[in-house]
Amino acid sequence: LKINVANSEMADDDLKSLLQYVEQQCLGLKDPFIHTLDLSGNPRITDKGITKHFAPFATKWPNIHRLKLYRCNVGSEAAKALAQWAAGGYVRELHLCDLKNKLSNDAVWELLQGISSRGMYPYSSGKHYVPLWLRLEHNSIQNPEQFVEQAVAAGMKVAVPAQNGSKTGASSPGSEAVRLPNFYDQPRDGKKKGAKAEPEEKVPSSTK
């Protein structure tokens, strides 16, 4: 299944109805699998919608490979609600950049710590090991470089790819659990500017 309701003025109650519909579709499938659920660009989807509607849905139907929430009115509460599902090893891409609500360093730490501690990433693609692709840029995360250093020191297997192809963070082969593209791109004054379309980044097909 691929569901794209981006920029559709969807609100929390609409999200509830959508997920009820998707559940009916899943019930008719032998092996329910949602390739993409794109909710991006809907500022009327809030933390309440994610905690009350999406999180219970994902607990029941966890096999969702790509979730896009950028430019929704969600933040720390949504990130915390997503943590258990995100750590389960089903999701391949989680897009949480340019959120309209505050995403705190503590909430990001809790999310990354949960993913690292469960040990489900990197996942095997058959021939290679691939990290979770987690987009968190443009969220006013404080001191992002120091944040990554502390996360790695605490045992979290995270890495930030650089423009020149290098990366900071986890570096040993097959050890990278979470890749954080453009993570250092946070407003330095703590104030986010006008929303832009999420920049395209090539998702890694493998981690050698």
Side-chain angles (χ1 to χ4, degrees), residues 10 19 22 43 49 54 65 79 98 123 126 129 140 143 147 152 159 161 176-177 206:
M10 177 170 282
L19 294 176
V22 175
F54 178 79
H65 278 197
D98 207 359
Y123 63 89
Y129 288 97
S140 301
N143 303 309
F147 182 94
V152 172
E176 183 184 353
S206 66

Side-chain angles (χ1 to χ4, degrees), residues 2 14 49 56 82 86 97 99 102 104 106 108 137 148 150 162 166 175 178 203 206:
K2 291 185 179 181
D14 302 315
L82 292 170
C97 65
L99 301 180
K102 180 176 175 56
S104 70
D106 287 345
V108 175
E137 68 269 24
V148 170
Q150 293 174 340
S166 64
S175 70
V178 183
V203 179
S206 66

Side-chain angles (χ1 to χ4, degrees), residues 9-186:
E9 300 185 1
M10 177 170 282
D12 289 339
D13 287 342
D14 302 315
L15 176 60
K16 178 182 178 181
S17 299
L18 173 67
L19 294 176
Q20 289 173 340
Y21 168 77
V22 175
E23 180 167 21
Q24 291 302 311
Q25 300 302 304
C26 289
L27 288 169
L29 299 175
K30 182 179 180 180
D31 296 306
F33 160 54
I34 300 172
H35 180 276
T36 301
L37 178 56
D38 189 350
L39 304 173
S40 61
N42 287 301
R44 295 171 64 199
I45 293 179
T46 70
D47 285 320
K48 180 180 178 181
I50 300 304
T51 57
K52 187 175 181 180
H53 304 312
F54 178 79
F57 174 86
T59 298
K60 188 173 182 180
W61 306 100
N63 200 5
I64 305 167
H65 278 197
R66 180 186 293 125
L67 175 64
K68 294 188 174 187
L69 287 172
Y70 60 89
R71 290 187 284 123
C72 290
N73 192 22
V74 301
S76 296
E77 292 306 312
K80 292 177 181 179
L82 292 170
Q84 183 174 356
W85 164 71
Y90 295 96
V91 62
R92 305 300 190 239
E93 299 176 38
L94 180 54
H95 296 243
L96 298 175
C97 65
D98 207 359
L99 301 180
K100 298 300 182 184
N101 207 347
K102 180 176 175 56
L103 183 64
S104 70
N105 283 43
D106 287 345
V108 175
W109 185 275
E110 184 175 325
L111 176 62
L112 293 175
Q113 189 173 52
I115 293 169
S116 295
S117 64
R118 284 284 296 276
M120 302 302 292
Y121 297 97
Y123 63 89
S124 174
S125 65
K127 296 181 179 180
H128 306 287
Y129 288 97
V130 185
L132 169 63
W133 191 256
L134 179 57
R135 300 289 294 269
L136 289 167
E137 68 269 24
H138 304 160
N139 280 309
S140 301
I141 294 169
Q142 301 298 304
N143 303 309
E145 292 88 352
Q146 182 181 18
F147 182 94
V148 170
E149 291 177 0
Q150 293 174 340
V152 172
M156 300 183 205
K157 299 175 182 179
V158 302
V160 180
Q163 294 293 333
N164 61 6
S166 64
K167 61 185 178 180
T168 57
S171 59
S172 59
S175 70
E176 183 184 353
V178 183
R179 186 167 295 183
L180 302 168
N182 304 313
F183 182 74
Y184 298 145
D185 190 0
Q186 308 289 342

